[in-house]
Amino acid sequence: MKASLKLREDGAAPLLRAKLPVALFSVPAVASLTAGDPADLRLSLATAVPALPSLRISYAPNRPSSPLSLALVLGSGPGGCPSPAAASAITMAAEVSAAGAVSFSLVLKPSLGDFAVRKRFDSAGSAPTSAAAAASGSEVTMRSSIPVRGGAAAVSVRWGVRIPAEVTAGGEDGAAALALRRLPFLVLGKIAVERQPPPPPASRAMAQEETSVEKTRRENERLRKDLDEQRAAATDKMTSASTVAAAAGRRSSGWRSPEMAGDRKAVDAGR
């Protein structure tokens, strides 16, 4: 799940978006809610099949012409996939309402790491034969992400240096001049909270391999301990056998210790 809050100018209410992954007849999809001003209220359901464009159906109850619309969204991902949106440098959408009005939008967003340049073009009309185009000012954005709750979620903040599109012409004595009505300025454009998926559990094969390795290690420890015990017992037996053999050899050769020889002489003298 992902929720975002986009700050807007000219006194407009912040734009709130919430997205939730769902399954539509075993097809991955995303359900979204957009709210802000009454005209911004919108419910959408869009497919999210990898390597395919997205098909989106929307319901906007406060739209004056028609609340229902169908849109085809293309991106620069594999096969025209627009997701993930942060990785798509170009996103194009063609939307048709139930009343027959057609609108087009084009978003250019080349990025390098957390930095991106964003510009949007919109074309809309009340009928398929009449349309009006509008372009937004360019914006250089930077994205900062902060993990929360031990990595279970992430809060991302989008900063932007906005370059206004307003340019006026005029001057004294009819001399033409170009002047920017406003200088570029820093804005806080968007705050998003996204739940991060848990790390994938170890596969059964990996778990079995780890169990086998641990079992082998314990078996090796037991064999090494038994080998040390058998080696110590063999050493003790060899020492005892050497001692017994030496004593038996001395007895068979008639050897007497000095103490035994003195006792023998004393016995002979008594006789």
Side-chain angles (χ1 to χ4, degrees):
M1 180 177 180
K2 181 179 180 180
S4 64
L5 183 67
K6 183 178 181 180
L7 306 179
R8 299 186 291 184
E9 298 179 337
D10 302 328
L15 192 63
L16 174 64
R17 290 191 179 98
K19 296 182 179 180
L20 179 66
V22 295
L24 182 63
F25 302 107
S26 301
V27 175
V30 176
S32 61
L33 168 67
T34 303
D37 290 332
D40 297 322
L41 183 59
R42 182 170 181 159
L43 297 173
S44 302
L45 181 63
T47 60
V49 181
L52 284 178
S54 177
L55 191 63
R56 183 183 67 204
I57 183 171
S58 302
Y59 174 72
N62 298 325
R63 182 181 294 175
S65 58
S66 176
L68 289 175
S69 63
L70 183 65
L72 178 65
V73 184
L74 299 172
S76 59
C81 181
S83 299
S88 184
I90 302 175
T91 303
M92 298 175 289
E95 186 171 8
V96 181
S97 68
V102 182
S103 62
F104 300 92
S105 65
L106 173 64
V107 178
L108 304 178
K109 190 181 177 183
S111 61
L112 180 61
D114 292 334
F115 294 88
V117 179
R118 184 184 182 92
K119 191 172 183 65
R120 182 183 180 92
F121 301 88
D122 291 289
S123 175
S126 58
T129 57
S130 62
S136 66
S138 300
E139 184 176 352
V140 180
T141 63
M142 181 188 71
R143 182 175 176 269
S144 303
S145 181
I146 304 173
V148 295
R149 295 185 61 185
V155 178
S156 61
V157 180
R158 190 176 74 191
W159 305 87
V161 176
R162 187 164 298 169
I163 305 173
E166 297 88 345
V167 179
T168 59
E172 297 181 359
D173 301 328
L178 296 178
L180 288 176
R181 294 174 59 183
R182 289 184 295 178
L183 295 175
F185 54 96
L186 179 66
V187 294
L188 175 60
K190 186 177 181 181
I191 302 174
V193 179
E194 184 174 5
R195 182 180 179 183
Q196 301 295 325
S203 62
R204 181 174 298 180
M206 185 178 296
Q208 291 178 352
E209 183 178 356
E210 292 178 354
T211 303
S212 177
V213 170
E214 180 64 20
K215 184 178 180 181
T216 303
R217 187 187 65 81
R218 293 180 179 178
E219 186 68 19
N220 289 339
E221 289 288 340
R222 187 182 65 81
L223 291 176
R224 183 166 54 248
K225 184 177 180 181
D226 292 343
L227 183 60
D228 292 341
E229 292 178 354
Q230 293 177 6
R231 186 178 299 166
T235 302
D236 294 341
K237 289 181 180 179
M238 291 178 62
T239 304
S240 301
S242 299
T243 303
V244 172
R250 288 193 296 268
R251 286 195 300 268
S252 62
S253 61
W255 178 84
R256 295 291 186 272
S257 63
E259 292 80 3
M260 295 177 64
D263 296 340
R264 185 65 177 177
K265 290 178 182 180
V267 173
D268 294 340
R271 291 181 181 176

